[in-house]
Amino acid sequence: MTDNQYTIFDIPSGALIDTANESRWGGTVGVGFEYGIGPNWSVAFEYDHMFMGSRDLNFNVVGGGFGGTDHISQDVDLFTARFNYKFGGPVVARY
């Protein structure tokens, strides 16, 4: 879930014209790979695609007029690469 806030400003005056706020839900599909490269060290790669859908938002102008409709979609592709180090472990496991 993500919270989104949209605002419209009048550029010449800097006045706030309209705002919209919503929470969006979606799904995630991903794949990852981790490989040990030495004692306690590993390298990992991960890809996630987040499907956040799309929606049409109606904006109203201050004073009662209709400001128009904006189609907003929000899919996210996330790539991650990392090195991991595992510190020791439980004292009981070492003996």
Side-chain angles (χ1 to χ4, degrees):
M1 180 179 79
T2 60
D3 275 338
N4 296 307
Q5 182 174 0
Y6 311 101
T7 55
I8 298 176
F9 289 95
D10 179 45
I11 293 175
S13 68
L16 175 64
I17 296 174
D18 194 18
T19 65
N21 191 6
E22 68 176 350
S23 295
R24 303 189 63 185
W25 291 81
T28 302
V29 174
V31 63
F33 174 77
E34 186 169 0
Y35 182 74
I37 57 175
N40 295 345
W41 284 95
S42 66
V43 62
F45 302 96
E46 183 178 342
Y47 166 75
D48 295 306
H49 180 81
M50 295 175 236
F51 301 93
M52 301 304 289
S54 61
R55 181 156 183 224
D56 291 331
L57 291 175
N58 295 321
F59 290 93
N60 297 316
V61 177
V62 175
F66 179 67
T69 301
D70 195 5
H71 180 77
I72 297 172
S73 63
Q74 187 177 13
D75 286 354
V76 177
D77 290 310
L78 179 67
F79 296 92
T80 305
R82 63 183 179 269
F83 288 100
N84 301 310
Y85 181 76
K86 179 182 172 190
F87 292 95
V91 175
V92 176
R94 286 195 239 162
Y95 293 105

